[in-house]
Amino acid sequence: MPSYQPWYHGNITRSKAEDLLSKAARDGSFLIRDSESIQGAYALCVLYQNCVYTYRILPNEDKKLSVQASEGVPIRFFDLLPELVDAYYSPNMGLVTHLQYSVQREEEVDEDPGQNLHSICNNIKQNECLSYKMYCGCFSVLQLVKSQKMHTKLVIVVETEKEKVLRKEFVFDDTKKREGFCQLLQQMKNKHSEKPEPDMITVFVGTWNMGNAGPPHNISSWFQCKGQGKTQDDTTDHIPHDFYVIGTQEDPLGEREWADTVKNYTFPNMQVAMHTLWNIRIVVLAKPEHENRISHIFSDSVKTGIANTLGNKGAVGVSFMFNGTSFGFVNSHLTSGSEKKLRRNQNYTTILRFLNLGDKKLNPFDITHRFTHLFWLGDLNYRVEFPSTQYQELLSKDQLNMERNDGKVFLHFDEEEITFAPTYRFERYTRDKYAYTKAKATGTKYNLPSWCDRVLRKSYPLVHVVCQAYGCTNDIMTSDHSPVFASFEIGVASQFVSKQDPNSAPQGGIQIMNCKATLLTKSKTKFFIEYHSSFLESICILLVFKVELLWRQVIIHSLFCLFFKLTPIISDPEYLLDQHIVICVKSTDCDESYGEGCIALRAAQFCYTEFQVTLTHHGEKTGTLTGGIQLHTSEGKPTEKLYGEFGNQLRTYFTNCFLPQPRPPPQGPPLSPRIHVCNLQTSR
């Protein structure tokens, strides 16, 4: 990290750097930011003829710095960034133009330094096991552990009749053979097991700012979704959820004490994960019967307190796989204060960029693209901007809804309709009166009743998810916040068992045609597209050499591809229809993402279909991706899953995202001469 320099902007986003350079509007304007793709590297951004050119600044083994680019810049080494910058003020150094005008960094607004600080932080172990329990004659197979670093390696953990646990390692010729062997064991498990794999689960999500006070004697109403808003019927009181995800802020209890407390109210459950950052905590509990369906558990935290170094504000997160469905949960406590709306937006962006959860193969993507379902809960601290006591009038001026409508935060997240009273700021030990003033070291603060405590969700397209409850309790009054609850019914994919012999089944594929990405950027670079999915053995990369420049308010780069084929590990339709492809458009100069999106293979279930996907990066809309998709599978009919309103959701998705009249796939050669296709093996 360099010492303070006016041209060094730290970890600002690429789009923010482009905005600052556009405002400068002079050739030779420049700034340096941290690289988004390589830790310890930098990006030199230079404005020339209304375009932003980005050059990588990479350290070598001796920590000397050099400027590099795909077009080839003469290599010169420097000990420090200021030396490098001074050198490139000289003309003819290989850049599009020499450096002339440094763009000053903007001052960040820090939150109130007078807030109380608390310190406790424990990390949990990361478990990357894909767990099964199968009974095979005289021994039981406890786990199949698929190596993520070596895709052909499998570890089998078995328990013998004498209760002795053994581990055996196997290395297969390729990933498909490993997958086929796992399918065989899974079929044996299904044959001898009386418990079918679930197609549907329920998830409780709760958030509560405890106000640095211990809980009352009874908090059962929270976990039973009782109180105000959309609540559950009394008949469900004794029906446990499959998962309980509990987020707290200003939590004064120790981890064990709080875990024991919530377990008393959530039926017999096992602890999947717990993570704490100061007084921000997340706990995930699950039914014991799901133990061998849960794998790839990760947890992480991000500080967003003063100068992003203190953990009194920030986020904790947990992610895991449930059979074939990935889940992410983020509990955040954002900056307080009615006037700190912009700072809260900055907190959100920081958490998106730096919270490290989920599949390591998806590092180019922020967490909103890494999971089948991502739930974001917590004391988000957005207030209302309207002096009224009528809740409907207050809700129309809710800061969070207004910022979401403007596309500034929580882009493409969903929230159930709010039909409950503001959850903050109550006088403690009553829910009949709000406290409008708060004495602080910086003076008296005025607080309108606000919906600070929220639960939002973002899911991949064409998946089944229904909110069954969303509200707050009436009878838990130890804090100035009321606990908020939400309950969801979610369709899940099983650990797939093919009905066919994996060695003899005909191979299918996914064809992507007429692909075009339109990006909102001023960067002058070449691009490539990465396709990621769990059904692919490796990352598939499409290098694109044709670039159109359209002069408007921004330069729009269009990427074309006539025909591109992805080959899945398994071509059974029952498997493929539950899968998704996440797409990333990246720069060849700096390997940084310019936009990410997702396509559901279920959309191409019937025929060739055209799609339009919104591209985003770090929570901002960055463009669109259009094209056509055709799914070719081996013979077989998928098992029908009855999800109630799922058929209506499917029709709505087609109406909103797909063109009304599908056209046949275009005729032409298998690959356009303008593109080059290659596969890169991934490692984790």
Side-chain angles (χ1 to χ4, degrees), residues 398-428:
D398 173 70
Q399 286 182 347
L400 179 54
N401 285 340
M402 291 191 292
E403 295 299 286
R404 287 177 62 204
N405 291 337
D406 291 340
K408 296 178 180 178
V409 291
F410 292 99
L411 189 65
H412 300 154
F413 276 78
D414 293 315
E415 182 181 21
E416 185 71 5
E417 180 184 2
I418 293 178
T419 57
F420 50 92
T423 57
Y424 176 82
R425 179 178 181 254
F426 285 103
E427 290 191 1
R428 295 182 192 242

Side-chain angles (χ1 to χ4, degrees), residues 534-553:
S534 58
F535 67 77
L536 300 173
E537 287 192 51
S538 58
I539 300 173
C540 291
I541 294 181
L542 173 64
L543 301 182
V544 186
F545 297 119
K546 180 176 179 180
V547 177
E548 286 187 355
L549 304 183
L550 304 179
W551 291 91
R552 297 180 182 173
Q553 290 183 343

Side-chain angles (χ1 to χ4, degrees), residues 130-132 146 186 197-198 201 292-296 320-327 370-373 460 463 491-497 533-535 575 578-580 641:
L130 180 60
S131 302
Y132 299 84
K146 296 181 180 180
Q186 183 73 18
E197 290 297 314
I201 62 173
N292 295 319
R293 299 182 177 114
I294 301 167
S295 64
H296 300 79
F320 57 86
M321 292 287 295
F322 179 84
N323 282 347
T325 302
S326 57
F327 287 88
R370 294 190 187 186
F371 307 104
T372 314
H373 303 281
Y460 282 167
V463 294
V492 292
S494 64
Q495 280 297 337
F496 181 72
V497 182
S533 183
S534 58
F535 67 77
Y575 171 77
D578 280 334
Q579 305 305 310
H580 294 79
K641 297 181 180 181

Side-chain angles (χ1 to χ4, degrees), residues 278-301:
W278 292 34
N279 285 58
I280 308 168
R281 178 173 297 144
I282 188 168
V283 182
V284 179
L285 306 174
K287 288 181 178 178
E289 66 200 60
H290 293 321
E291 178 179 6
N292 295 319
R293 299 182 177 114
I294 301 167
S295 64
H296 300 79
I297 303 169
F298 295 95
S299 66
D300 194 25
S301 61

Side-chain angles (χ1 to χ4, degrees), residues 615-627:
L615 298 175
T616 65
H617 183 58
H618 293 327
E620 298 178 348
K621 180 178 178 180
T622 58
T624 58
L625 178 74
T626 60

Side-chain angles (χ1 to χ4, degrees), residues 244-263:
Y244 290 86
V245 181
I246 302 119
T248 51
Q249 310 84 38
E250 298 185 16
D251 184 343
L253 304 184
E255 286 192 342
R256 175 174 290 185
E257 183 181 4
W258 179 238
D260 291 342
T261 299
V262 297
K263 285 178 181 178

